[in-house]
Amino acid sequence: MSKSDVSRRGVLKSGAMMGAGVALPTIFTASSAAAYTNEPTGSTVTLGFNVPQTGPYADEGADELRAYQLAVEHLNGGGDGGMMNTFSSKALKGNGILGKEVKFVTGDTQTKSDAARASAKSMIEKDGAVMITGGSSSGVAIAVQGLCQEAGVIFMAGLTHSNDTTGKDKKANGFRHFFNGYMSGAALAPVLKNLYGTDRNAYHLTADYTWGWTQEESIAAATEALGWNTVNKVRTPLAATDFSSYIAPVLNSGADVLVLNHYGGNMVNSLTNAVQFGLRDKIVNGKQFEIVVPLYSRLMAKGAGENVKGIHGSTNWHWSLQDDASKAFVQSFGTKYGFPPSQAAHTVYCQTLLYADACERAGTFNPCGVAEALEGFEFDGLGNGKTLYRAEDHQCFKDVLVVRGKENPTSEFDLLEVVEVTPAAQVTYPPDHPMFAGGALGTCNPGA
């Protein structure tokens, strides 16, 4: 049977696990491709891009929206094709998705779960979106993922780093390309040990929502395993802009490391406050005081300016990578917008291509066919090296970058440098790991 025969009849599932050889295909018969939510009937298909256009993560949201628009341009045959040219799967032809021109609608999550759900619901019910993607907050991602599961559409998560997204709150209709808190801890801990030793006292300031909680848990566990002591864990409101009252107690805590489990504008402000209090100039316990930012981004580094120099963290991707895929994406994005993309832009561009490719390989927009095509899918050529979309939890496993703020940047974009590429094997964990326990993936919901 040819691939075209499979496409006409239903869905060809690629179930190969990394290194496990080729799995036998699963064929969906026509009867399983019955009506589903927002089945496209005309010459176009609509995707819903749900990003924070206001709130503390708005910078990430703006860059996500740029990348989504670029992905749509490439899918419809415009521009230079970007990473479609380097993607190991060759199902995408630049003629839309399954021959339908890609259209899109946008919404503002406001970095608030209720607003994000309302926006996604409107795009599904009023605009006919067959897939929802986006977000720069794990609270938003988990809320919208749950909505998409109920509505019967695929959710391709954007920037979400909480373990819970593909842990206790995972859903059969949801998929995450971005890495998570556990992976940050696994990548960072050995580097921190080599830099700062095993006798350290850490003080955590943590954004008070699902991402902050699981990031804190992951970094604390990874560093305590090295011999570090956790002095205190203090939660901070996501809406906070001045962290002075949270920084002051660190001075008399006996801590010699401050871990900022903050992202976006929160991290820019808390790091600025920490530097204003002179923490980086302190000698505590006979050691130079250090600051760690577990989840880093170029946009945050730009916002924090000089304060990021020498500070270590982890990131999902960085525009300075020299593989063919990363160079193609940076070239394409830079030509259109005049500056390099962020990791937020990269992950949502990848998710859009991965969704479109799954539709092509499945021969349908039916979310259950798309899910089958994504589960166990092994691919390369999207800027992270060999990557696996694990079937058990819909989490991508790939290399993770450890970065630090550059001491001598050459431009306003050249702010971070990659100090280590942590191989996927080092950040991989079993699906039943305790940090990810508590929820079942469930079964795909095709909706109507």
Side-chain angles (χ1 to χ4, degrees), residues 308-332:
V308 303
K309 290 184 176 183
I311 290 182
H312 288 76
S314 65
T315 189
N316 191 65
W317 176 86
H318 192 254
W319 69 268
S320 66
L321 292 173
Q322 292 300 300
D323 60 284
D324 289 344
S326 293
K327 288 193 291 185
F329 181 52
V330 171
Q331 170 69 30
S332 191

Side-chain angles (χ1 to χ4, degrees), residues 44-51 53 64-76 97 100-107 123 127-133 336-337 352:
T44 65
V45 59
T46 301
L47 309 182
F49 301 150
N50 207 22
V51 303
Q53 299 179 48
E64 287 179 329
L65 203 52
R66 295 182 191 105
Y68 281 131
Q69 292 168 342
L70 184 63
V72 169
E73 180 181 314
H74 291 164
L75 288 172
N76 287 332
I97 306 175
K100 296 182 184 292
E101 181 184 3
V102 181
K103 301 285 189 180
F104 66 89
V105 290
T106 65
M123 287 191 280
D127 301 311
V130 73
M131 181 271 276
I132 300 294
T133 177
K336 188 173 181 67
Y337 299 113
T352 309

Side-chain angles (χ1 to χ4, degrees), residues 292-317:
V292 177
V293 178
L295 180 58
Y296 236 142
S297 82
R298 178 186 64 75
L299 296 174
M300 289 158 53
K302 182 179 179 182
E306 294 276 320
N307 297 330
V308 303
K309 290 184 176 183
I311 290 182
H312 288 76
S314 65
T315 189
N316 191 65
W317 176 86

Side-chain angles (χ1 to χ4, degrees), residues 6-198:
V6 171
S7 295
R8 282 195 295 270
R9 288 184 54 187
V11 177
L12 173 62
K13 178 188 177 185
S14 172
M17 296 293 283
M18 193 166 288
V22 178
L24 293 174
T26 300
I27 304 298
F28 275 24
T29 60
S31 61
S32 68
Y36 50 89
T37 299
N38 292 339
E39 179 176 3
T41 55
S43 60
T44 65
V45 59
T46 301
L47 309 182
F49 301 150
N50 207 22
V51 303
Q53 299 179 48
T54 56
Y57 297 164
D59 285 349
E60 278 74 16
D63 224 34
E64 287 179 329
L65 203 52
R66 295 182 191 105
Y68 281 131
Q69 292 168 342
L70 184 63
V72 169
E73 180 181 314
H74 291 164
L75 288 172
N76 287 332
D80 61 9
M83 288 197 289
M84 281 173 52
N85 300 316
T86 58
F87 190 14
S88 57
S89 175
K90 300 304 177 186
L92 299 173
K93 305 301 183 186
N95 63 340
I97 306 175
L98 295 174
K100 296 182 184 292
E101 181 184 3
V102 181
K103 301 285 189 180
F104 66 89
V105 290
T106 65
D108 180 10
T109 69
Q110 304 173 38
T111 322
K112 297 176 182 177
S113 297
D114 289 346
R117 280 181 66 98
S119 176
K121 189 171 188 288
S122 175
M123 287 191 280
I124 293 168
E125 294 181 354
K126 296 181 180 179
D127 301 311
V130 73
M131 181 271 276
I132 300 294
T133 177
S136 291
S137 154
S138 291
V140 161
I142 288 168
V144 175
Q145 180 167 259
L147 174 79
C148 289
Q149 180 69 36
E150 297 163 8
V153 301
I154 289 290
F155 176 63
M156 300 296 283
L159 200 162
T160 168
H161 193 243
S162 171
N163 292 340
D164 292 346
T165 307
T166 46
K168 71 179 183 65
D169 295 310
K170 60 183 174 287
K171 300 294 182 186
N173 283 42
F175 291 83
R176 171 164 60 180
H177 172 266
F178 205 67
F179 70 144
N180 58 44
Y182 173 92
M183 294 174 177
S184 284
L188 269 175
V191 175
L192 297 179
K193 175 184 177 181
N194 292 337
L195 288 169
Y196 308 138
T198 58

